[in-house]
Amino acid sequence: MQTPKLRVGLGYDNHRLAPGRRFMLGGVEVPAEVGAEAHSDGDVVIHALVDALLGAVGAGDIGTHFPDTDPQWKDQASRLFLERSAELVRGKGYNLANLDVVILLEKVKLGEHKARIVSSLRAILAPWFELPEDAVSVKAKTHERCDAVGEGKAVAAQVVVLLTGTAD
Ligand code: MG
C-alpha cells in the first residue's frame, strides 16, 4: 500500500503588548486595552499559522516572504499573508487536513472570542481548503504569571498543521 503524502508544519510567534493598538488574533479584533506592537497588525495567530503552512512545504518562513523591512507590509492586515501562503500550499499540491492553535495570553480573557477566531480562520482559508467541521481548533491558556507573557507584556501563539497531498 502506498504511503499517503503527508506533511506536518509548526509555527510560533510572539509580540509585545502596548496600549493604543488594535488587538488582532486570527483575523478577529479582540476588545482589550492593549494590542500587539508590530510592523504589520501583529496578529500572532496568523503569523504562526503562516509559518506552519510554509514550514510544512519547505517554503521558508513569514520573514522571507513578507519582510518587515519592506514598507508595503507596514500596518498590513495579516490575513493577506495567510491568503498568499494558502495559495502557495495549494499550488504545491497539498490540502489542509487540520490546524490546532494555542494562544498564550495572561490578562485578556478570550472566552467566546475563541469561536470567532475559529470562524475567521475557516473563512479566510475557505477559498483554498475544504476544512471538515472539526478541523480548526483554537485553545487559550495563561503563562502562569511567568516571563513576559505571564506578566501581561506579550502575547504568543503556537500552531501545528497537517497537510495531505491532493490526488491529481
Ligand atoms: Mg509576528
Side-chain angles (χ1 to χ4, degrees), residues 11-48:
Y12 172 82
D13 192 35
N14 69 345
H15 282 278
R16 284 195 301 270
L17 294 172
R21 295 277 305 184
R22 293 172 75 201
F23 197 4
M24 299 301 295
L25 288 173
V28 167
E29 183 169 357
V30 173
E33 291 176 359
V34 291
E37 282 186 331
H39 188 259
S40 67
D41 66 3
D43 190 323
V44 290
V45 171
I46 288 185
H47 294 182

Side-chain angles (χ1 to χ4, degrees), residues 106 143-154:
E106 198 73 17
H143 216 239
E144 296 290 328
R145 301 196 296 276
C146 294
D147 304 329
V149 172
E151 291 167 6
K153 296 175 181 169

